[in-house]
Amino acid sequence: MGQPGGERRTGRHDDRTGRPSPGAGRPGSAPPPGPAEAWPRRLVCVRAFVRALPVLLVVAGILYDCFTPAEFTAAPFFTAAPLVAAPLSSPRGTVLAGALAVGAVLTVHLLLGVVLHVDVVTEVVTVATAAVLAVLINVVVRRGDERLASVREIAEFAQRAVLPEPEARIAGLEVAARYEAAQEDAFIGGDLYAVQDSPHGVRLVVGDVRGKGMTAVAAVATVVGAFREAAEQEATLQGVAGRLERALTRAGSRRDGVEAAEGFTTAVLAEIPRGEGVVRVVNRGHPPPLLLGPDGTLAVLSAETFALPLGLSELGGPCAPTVQHRFPRGATLLLHTDGLSEARDPRGEFYDPAAWLAGRVFPGPDALPAALFEAVCRHTGGALTDDLALLAVRRP
């Protein structure tokens, strides 16, 4: 098996103009700041404003009472201060906000000489009642947050058990991975990756399960579990793909409805034999891997023929061949899901990872997924609509 003609090699260039990029070939060259970097700074400012809001409300109430006629009341400002602090602050902060509001009401009217007026007494009682209610609300909110944090921690451990982080070095290869779930507060979704050292070399899989939610997570667990067993036992990558197919078929037979009839998984499997300087690839309907050379040249490891995803082989079509490519020292192999290649900008244009990567050199495989994620966030404006899995392997 030789090197296919479907590979695309490109040199150093700028993404927008096609001209040489001044920093494209320098190791560790940083991309310009964008939404992904600006968002944390904006979040810090918003949090600071929210924490200061109870004090600002009290100050606004004092100014309102001092500069308006006597028949006007600032009770809404003083009442709102502890109630705003209740869901956002600690118990101590909520108590302090309530005490500050009550103290401000008394101080203002003491200075104005109308402390014992019936309207003033009513205002003080109203603010004090709101302060007590705020403390009770804070207690309820904190208990709910503690329960939610416990549930999230358990869910994180369970999900990480399904999709653990690979070791940084496996059989002499440097490995780095990154996973970003599109669903908020989720750690994994329908994408998957796995790396397994085997008697046949280091074997890898990256895939994308059809569907969302717990059904997709269950399919991810099925594929990853079957891969780890098959990678040790099967002599060929096609054999590994066959085992994954059968595992998905068995899992699908236990489900009813659309998921049983239409469930499938796109996947690309790779094998890096020890000491041969090659990588073998089997592609089942998945975006092709990218091979980034040590000098910044890029090769797209396209499949010779299109093969159906895992779970759809009964529909016929050509068998996925095992294609061999050169994998020289210093090169980095990148496997990714369509959350990268199908990410859209506000105008609806797809992100092209090959165009962005061409001509760039990274100091190590861990820098590649991080830089790619930042780049795709800039392309989309900071929002991901699909899960994203990146797996980078480098021959040092």
Side-chain angles (χ1 to χ4, degrees):
M1 286 174 282
Q3 186 134 334
E7 296 186 9
R8 182 177 67 179
R9 295 188 176 272
T10 52
R12 294 182 173 89
H13 66 280
D14 183 86
D15 301 342
R16 298 176 296 275
T17 64
R19 295 190 296 270
S21 176
R26 292 197 298 266
S29 56
E37 295 89 343
W39 173 248
R41 291 194 294 269
R42 291 197 295 266
L43 189 60
V44 169
C45 294
V46 170
R47 286 178 176 173
F49 173 77
V50 169
R51 289 174 181 172
L53 189 55
V55 176
L56 295 177
L57 286 170
V58 172
V59 172
I62 294 173
L63 295 176
Y64 189 88
D65 260 342
C66 292
F67 294 100
T68 57
E71 59 268 20
F72 289 83
T73 176
F77 292 98
F78 297 123
T79 302
L83 294 176
V84 168
L88 304 174
S89 301
S90 63
R92 180 182 178 183
T94 304
V95 171
L96 290 176
L100 179 63
V102 174
V105 173
L106 290 173
T107 301
V108 168
H109 291 94
L110 182 62
L111 294 175
L112 295 176
V114 288
V115 177
L116 299 179
H117 194 277
V118 63
D119 292 338
V120 176
V121 173
T122 302
E123 182 176 338
V124 172
V125 171
T126 300
V127 175
T129 302
V132 173
L133 290 175
V135 173
L136 296 177
I137 292 171
N138 180 269
V139 172
V140 173
V141 169
R142 286 184 66 83
R143 287 180 178 175
D145 289 344
E146 289 172 359
R147 293 193 187 100
L148 182 58
S150 177
V151 170
R152 285 178 175 171
E153 185 176 3
I154 293 171
E156 180 180 1
F157 283 137
Q159 292 177 353
R160 294 303 185 194
V162 173
L163 204 66
E165 188 81 10
E167 296 180 8
R169 197 173 184 89
I170 299 176
L173 299 173
E174 297 174 350
V175 181
R178 179 147 187 169
Y179 197 108
E180 297 291 338
Q183 183 178 353
E184 188 176 1
D185 294 330
F187 296 95
I188 65 172
D191 288 1
L192 62 98
Y193 62 78
V195 184
Q196 184 78 13
D197 189 12
S198 76
H200 314 283
V202 176
R203 286 176 166 175
L204 313 96
V205 64
V206 167
D208 186 356
V209 174
R210 179 194 176 276
K212 301 291 183 183
M214 292 307 300
T215 301
V217 174
V220 167
T222 298
V223 174
V224 172
F227 170 77
R228 295 201 180 281
E229 182 179 0
E232 291 283 345
Q233 299 175 356
E234 296 292 335
T236 65
L237 276 184
Q238 289 180 331
V240 176
R243 288 278 287 273
L244 301 186
E245 182 102 40
R246 292 191 292 274
L248 284 171
T249 301
R250 287 194 302 270
S253 65
R254 295 191 289 267
R255 295 193 297 267
D256 299 323
V258 175
E259 291 297 335
E262 299 183 2
F264 62 86
T265 300
T266 67
V268 61
L269 296 96
E271 176 183 277
I272 305 172
R274 291 178 178 82
E276 295 187 23
V278 298
V279 56
R280 302 183 183 109
V281 178
V282 169
N283 195 324
R284 297 295 297 270
H286 198 78
L290 304 175
L291 186 63
L292 187 64
D295 58 351
T297 56
L298 185 81
V300 180
L301 308 186
S302 302
E304 294 179 337
T305 58
F306 178 81
L308 291 174
L310 299 171
L312 298 180
S313 60
E314 62 183 15
L315 300 179
C319 179
T322 301
V323 183
Q324 182 168 293
H325 310 267
R326 290 184 60 252
F327 190 12
R329 292 195 177 277
T332 303
L333 178 70
L334 175 70
L335 285 71
H336 63 89
T337 58
D338 59 9
L340 179 69
S341 55
E342 294 185 3
R344 296 173 182 260
D345 66 8
R347 296 172 297 179
E349 295 182 3
F350 288 111
Y351 180 70
D352 186 355
W356 187 85
L357 284 171
R360 298 179 185 269
V361 177
F362 299 90
D366 53 338
L368 176 54
L372 261 179
F373 177 68
E374 296 293 339
V376 76
C377 282
R378 287 194 299 272
H379 180 80
T380 61
L384 291 179
T385 58
D386 195 6
D387 300 330
L388 171 63
L390 303 170
L391 181 61
V393 180
R394 180 185 182 186
R395 289 196 70 207

